[in-house]
Amino acid sequence: MKKKIAVIGSGFSGLSAAAYLAKAGNDVHVFEKHDQSGGRARQFTIEQGYVFDMGPSWYWMPDIMEGFFADFGCKTADFFELVSLNPQFEMIFSDEKIDVPESLAELKTVFEKIEKGAASQLQKFMQSAKFKYEIGMKDFVNKPCHNWAEFISPKIAKSALKLDLLTSFRTYVARYFKSQKLRTLMEFPVIFLGASPKNIPAMYSLMNYGGYALGTHYPLGGFYQLVLAMKSVAEKQGVHFHFNKTVERINTQNDKVSYLTINDEKYEFDAVVASSDYQHTETLLDAPYRNYNDDYWKKKTFAPSSLIFYLGINETIPNLKHHTLFFENELDEHIDCIYKGKKWPEKPLFYACCPSKTDDSVAPEGKENLFLLMPLAIGMNDEECIREKYLAQMLSRIEKHTGISDLQSKIEYKRSYCVSDFMADYNAYGGNAYGLANTLGQTAVLKPKISNKKLRNLFYTGQLTVPGPGVPPSIISGKIVANEIIKIKN
């Protein structure tokens, strides 16, 4: 039976859910508070000719994106050109730098130079990581996670021990490598899962395979090309997009959502999918109809927020790669500031993305587009003077690495983005940037539910529910919730 369905928010999970729901024959309407789709992955252009992606910049797990488009009879190449980066990225330590090459064979050579025997250890690690990736990304993450019974199958039971669910990622990596630099290189990907490697299950070594083995890519024109492509797919299925539309209240009657109040107007729907921040969405409901109260969210471990700078540099920066990780300081010290001390780090790590090294379209000729990101705890005071203090530190370290002088004077455009901006733009709980951390206690069935427990036509999708944070998981999340709605007979 054809349903009229509202999707709140047009981030990756919202775009995905809308496309699948419309493909099934439903009348789907997406309501977005901003003037463009994409959520955290929005893009902005300025008069000087710079084009800035606002959020995601690591194009990993390309097979997940291809899987989405294949479901609609197309492929990414129909919409944008995907470039494989070589090197994938560079990691800067206090006494040396490591380039991560495009091919796994070359990466083994890099590992062997740093630690004797590490090449064969990397081969073993990646074989295991590939197994976890194939089981995890094909079986585990596609479950709606209503209960543990979903995971009872001969295949999953047979694979359980090999998935290393009860081993910490740090302990697991240490089994393979002695070099602290190699350990840090292998631990880096899970930082985006939102917790210390000490608290992330070793199953997430699948991230290493999804990145290092499958490669790091970049869509020419910026990451926003993926947003535009998914929006195009959704529109071809008949999805209607409504921009500058803020959902102000979710109204209920007879254990169902009866209508939405949007920009002071009333809109009736048969079902609602909230791709918006989960906790914020529930504040639009009367308290008795919320899945979780304030105490629930306060006890949760959230992935970090971020201090971001979008910079237009009026000359080229030598010796800087597309992706560069500045890890001259201790990883654990920075992580402890996020999860234990909940304070601004004294010796921060940070990430620099310079897409103009790959893409001429994102900066004027002879100039650079520079994106800087420093992870930090949620809920922090982020006034301008604090932001500027850390910008100066990051620029100083880039100057040391590249040999360029007085980078501050070469900035012709600057915009910062931090905790309060995530809260204002996305209603992000505590100003989080990535959602809930993928700790063992917040995995699968232990994540917030995708369906409202009291309202039979309200559903949730995105990085605060299953399967978790990141672009590929968000795309999968949209498909999961769409399938749940499609299964409902009336």
Side-chain angles (χ1 to χ4, degrees):
M1 178 180 168
K2 182 177 180 179
K3 302 181 185 75
K4 187 176 182 182
I5 301 173
V7 176
I8 305 172
S10 63
F12 287 112
S13 64
L15 290 170
S16 174
Y20 284 110
L21 286 167
K23 182 186 177 186
N26 297 294
D27 179 18
V28 181
H29 295 257
V30 177
F31 294 91
E32 169 59 53
K33 67 178 286 189
H34 297 106
D35 61 3
Q36 61 175 300
S37 53
R40 286 165 168 78
R42 290 179 298 151
Q43 188 180 78
F44 70 94
T45 303
I46 62 170
E47 289 182 6
Q48 294 99 314
Y50 295 96
V51 180
F52 293 100
D53 282 323
M54 293 189 69
S57 57
W58 290 84
Y59 197 107
W60 275 3
M61 305 184 184
D63 56 317
I64 302 300
M65 283 71 143
E66 290 295 349
F68 169 82
F69 290 100
D71 285 343
F72 298 91
C74 52
K75 52 189 181 294
T76 56
D78 295 331
F79 301 94
F80 53 81
E81 181 181 351
L82 198 59
V83 177
S84 179
L85 299 181
N86 191 23
Q88 297 187 43
F89 63 90
E90 186 171 54
M91 183 172 276
I92 310 299
F93 294 98
S94 58
D95 57 349
E96 71 172 310
K97 60 183 182 180
I98 298 176
D99 277 354
V100 174
E102 183 179 27
S103 80
L104 193 53
E106 291 178 275
L107 185 59
K108 290 178 192 173
T109 302
V110 171
F111 271 54
E112 191 66 24
K113 285 181 180 178
I114 296 172
E115 179 184 315
K116 186 174 177 57
S120 62
Q121 289 295 90
L122 179 61
Q123 177 66 27
K124 293 175 186 175
F125 185 100
M126 285 299 181
Q127 284 176 343
S128 179
K130 181 180 180 181
F131 173 82
K132 293 181 177 72
Y133 187 86
E134 291 175 346
I135 296 295
M137 298 309 290
K138 292 188 175 120
D139 293 324
F140 262 60
V141 301
N142 288 295
K143 306 290 186 186
C145 296
H146 296 305
N147 54 65
W148 290 113
E150 296 168 25
F151 296 90
I152 299 174
S153 74
K155 183 177 182 181
I156 291 177
K158 186 178 179 181
S159 307
L161 288 176
K162 293 182 180 179
L163 291 174
D164 295 296
L165 281 166
L166 300 179
T167 304
S168 86
F169 192 82
R170 171 153 294 171
T171 301
Y172 184 75
V173 170
R175 291 178 187 169
Y176 289 87
F177 308 105
K178 296 177 182 177
S179 163
Q180 187 55 52
K181 288 174 183 173
L182 294 185
R183 289 182 182 182
T184 299
L185 190 64
M186 299 306 282
E187 287 179 354
F188 143 70
V190 303
I191 293 174
F192 295 109
L193 295 175
S196 166
K198 293 180 284 189
N199 299 322
I200 291 280
M203 182 185 80
Y204 288 107
S205 61
L206 63 87
M207 292 280 289
N208 298 89
Y209 180 80
Y212 300 169
L214 298 183
T216 302
H217 301 79
Y218 172 79
L220 289 179
F223 209 98
Y224 194 64
Q225 295 305 309
L226 178 59
V227 173
L228 293 176
M230 291 181 68
K231 179 174 179 283
S232 177
V233 166
E235 288 176 327
K236 286 177 182 176
Q237 309 311 308
V239 174
H240 307 278
F241 285 86
H242 309 272
F243 296 104
N244 300 305
K245 297 288 186 182
T246 300
V247 177
E248 297 155 337
R249 182 161 176 76
I250 301 173
N251 303 277
T252 62
Q253 187 176 5
N254 298 327
D255 298 328
K256 291 178 67 176
V257 174
S258 51
Y259 66 93
L260 301 178
T261 303
I262 304 173
N263 290 17
D264 293 325
E265 295 185 24
K266 177 179 175 180
Y267 294 80
E268 294 183 355
F269 292 96
D270 299 310
V272 174
V273 177
S275 171
S276 45
D277 177 272
Y278 199 125
Q279 183 272 339
H280 167 73
T281 300
E282 296 230 297
T283 67
L284 306 180
L285 289 163
D286 288 334
Y289 295 106
R290 298 171 189 170
N291 277 353
Y292 309 103
N293 60 24
D294 290 342
D295 287 341
Y296 172 89
W297 296 108
K298 287 175 183 175
K299 292 174 184 175
K300 290 294 160 186
T301 301
F302 278 81
S305 185
S306 297
L307 169 61
I308 299 171
F309 276 93
Y310 311 100
L311 304 174
I313 308 297
N314 65 10
E315 65 178 65
T316 57
I317 303 174
N319 307 314
L320 190 65
K321 302 296 194 297
H322 187 121
H323 295 302
T324 309
L325 298 164
F326 287 82
F327 274 48
E328 309 100 309
N329 299 322
E330 285 295 322
L331 174 62
D332 281 350
E333 282 188 27
H334 190 132
I335 288 176
D336 285 347
C337 287
I338 296 173
Y339 295 108
K340 289 184 179 178
K342 298 204 171 183
K343 60 184 180 180
W344 285 88
E346 293 180 15
K347 297 178 180 179
L349 311 177
F350 74 98
Y351 155 62
C353 178
C354 192
S356 47
K357 294 296 183 186
T358 303
D359 189 351
D360 293 337
S361 73
V362 298
E365 185 177 355
K367 300 183 179 184
E368 302 281 28
N369 177 318
L370 187 58
F371 170 100
L372 305 179
L373 183 149
M374 188 183 83
L376 71 156
I378 65 171
M380 300 291 288
N381 171 26
D382 63 351
E383 59 191 36
E384 197 62 33
C385 62
I386 299 176
R387 300 185 190 197
E388 287 294 326
K389 169 189 168 184
Y390 283 94
L391 173 62
Q393 288 188 38
M394 291 188 280
L395 293 177
S396 174
R397 287 158 67 180
I398 293 172
E399 289 170 357
K400 181 180 178 181
H401 169 60
T402 63
I404 197 170
S405 60
D406 195 12
L407 196 51
Q408 185 84 245
S409 69
K410 298 173 173 63
I411 297 173
E412 65 175 3
Y413 176 80
K414 176 175 66 178
R415 176 181 175 184
S416 65
Y417 203 92
C418 202
V419 175
S420 57
D421 301 296
F422 281 104
M423 294 172 72
D425 282 355
Y426 310 119
N427 300 299
Y429 185 86
N432 79 84
Y434 303 105
L436 278 180
N438 266 350
T439 60
L440 187 59
Q442 295 181 170
T443 294
V445 174
L446 302 177
K447 285 189 181 294
K449 299 300 184 185
I450 65 168
S451 57
N452 188 282
K453 300 170 186 176
K454 298 162 187 173
L455 301 168
R456 59 184 183 273
N457 63 341
L458 176 59
F459 302 84
Y460 309 85
T461 185
Q463 59 186 9
L464 288 180
T465 183
V466 293
V471 175
S474 290
I475 293 172
I476 292 169
S477 182
K479 183 176 182 178
I480 290 171
V481 79
N483 286 339
E484 288 299 291
I485 295 171
I486 291 166
K487 285 190 295 187
I488 299 172
K489 298 300 181 183
N490 51 54

